[in-house]
Amino acid sequence: MTQEKRPVTVITGASAGIGTALAHEFAGNGHEVVLVARREQPLNALADAIAATGGTRPTVLRMDVARIDAARDLGEALARRGLEPDNVVNNAGFGLFGAADKLDRAAQVAMIDLNVRALTDLSLAFIDSLERRKGGILNVASIAAFMPGPGMAVYYATKAYVLSFSEALHQELKSRGVRVTALCPGPVATEFQARAGISGDVFPSLLMRTAGRVAKEGYTGLKEGRRLVVPGTANKLVTQWGRFAPRGLLLKMVERRQKARES
């Protein structure tokens, strides 16, 4: 007799920021979680912290999900442990600040590989188990998805892809009982900003949200089967402006804002 596999929530980019907050949120709601990232030490610390609250200690998988065979390797690692996903949370990603022609080209292509290709692969790799478990996919995008971003052109474009892909997948998989939600936060004080080269004090406080609050709203939205979650009223207004403002005006405003960060 084949042993029944245990359902788990797989969270990529779980070593810091929103990913860590999402791990706490899912675990706090009774989900067994699998933590995936390149840095094992913070993953183990996170697993210990979750276990200390009385929950099941998460499985830690040190893995670079940008590798071309990462989805296959992840599936095999889960199978060896008798696990299968009932939720997949694609949080791994990064941004770079600066004009596209001035930034390192290889680094920008690597950003596309992680933010777009890897997210797509992991979203599609486990749909059969998600359907069996009536689970879902939570893809972390950004309010940047709603507008072009001179000064962070490639990053904004990758998040536009994540939003478009996730919304379409939401519609395609709805009849199979698989929920797909795009989580589009505004600025959050995490190490993402430092890696992108963005100062932590450049965003209006009205737009800022804590990682914990973003994670809570993302989790609730996924469980409710919502297609899109934008945490915060001010951020919702920004996305509406991005949808309906004249494109030329929008480009100038974003470019002006990005240049102000340089000064």
Side-chain angles (χ1 to χ4, degrees):
M1 179 182 295
T2 303
Q3 186 176 3
E4 177 70 12
K5 294 179 179 177
R6 297 200 317 275
V8 291
T9 293
V10 175
I11 303 175
T12 71
S15 58
I18 294 173
T20 293
L22 284 164
H24 279 292
E25 186 66 26
F26 275 86
N29 282 281
H31 299 267
E32 183 177 350
V33 298
V34 175
L35 310 174
V36 182
R38 293 180 301 169
R39 297 178 296 169
E40 190 170 11
Q41 186 174 347
L43 291 183
N44 281 322
L46 174 58
D48 290 341
I50 290 173
T53 66
T56 302
R57 190 183 193 279
T59 298
V60 168
L61 293 178
R62 181 180 178 274
M63 181 178 296
D64 181 358
V65 296
R67 289 181 52 196
I68 195 70
D69 52 0
R72 183 202 66 195
D73 290 348
L74 177 58
E76 292 175 353
L78 294 174
R80 285 195 299 271
R81 293 164 173 81
L83 308 173
E84 70 174 10
D86 67 344
N87 293 294
V88 173
V89 179
N90 285 305
N91 173 71
F94 71 95
L96 293 171
F97 177 69
D101 65 320
K102 301 294 194 299
L103 291 171
D104 181 76
R105 190 169 76 252
Q108 293 181 91
V109 172
M111 191 197 317
I112 296 170
D113 204 40
L114 178 58
N115 295 9
V116 173
R117 187 201 57 76
L119 177 141
T120 303
D121 198 12
L122 290 167
S123 294
L124 299 176
F126 304 106
I127 287 175
D128 288 345
S129 73
L130 300 183
E131 182 179 17
R132 282 194 301 274
R133 300 287 182 178
K134 301 304 177 188
I137 301 167
L138 181 64
N139 285 335
V140 180
S142 166
I143 59 171
F146 294 87
M147 62 198 81
M152 291 185 76
V154 175
Y155 173 74
Y156 276 55
T158 66
K159 292 306 180 180
Y161 172 88
V162 173
L163 175 59
S164 177
F165 170 69
S166 301
E167 289 189 306
L169 204 59
H170 169 93
Q171 189 66 26
E172 291 180 355
L173 298 181
K174 186 161 51 173
S175 63
R176 296 177 63 177
V178 177
R179 297 180 292 272
V180 182
T181 299
L183 174 59
C184 295
V188 178
T190 67
E191 65 179 31
F192 169 89
Q193 294 177 14
R195 181 176 184 183
I198 300 172
S199 170
D201 58 356
V202 298
F203 298 105
S205 59
L206 196 63
L207 300 180
M208 297 292 290
R209 284 290 182 276
T210 66
R213 191 167 177 182
V214 168
K216 185 177 292 294
E217 293 192 40
Y219 176 83
T220 300
L222 177 65
K223 287 302 170 182
E224 292 177 350
R226 290 162 58 191
R227 171 179 50 84
L228 174 65
V229 174
V230 180
T233 301
N235 288 316
K236 289 182 176 68
L237 291 174
V238 169
T239 65
Q240 292 306 307
W241 174 250
R243 286 181 188 272
F244 299 115
R247 208 66 168 173
L249 176 62
L250 190 61
L251 280 162
K252 290 177 182 177
M253 290 185 66
V254 174
E255 183 178 43
R256 190 179 306 122
R257 180 65 185 170
Q258 303 287 43
K259 285 183 176 178
R261 295 178 186 175
E262 296 176 352
S263 57

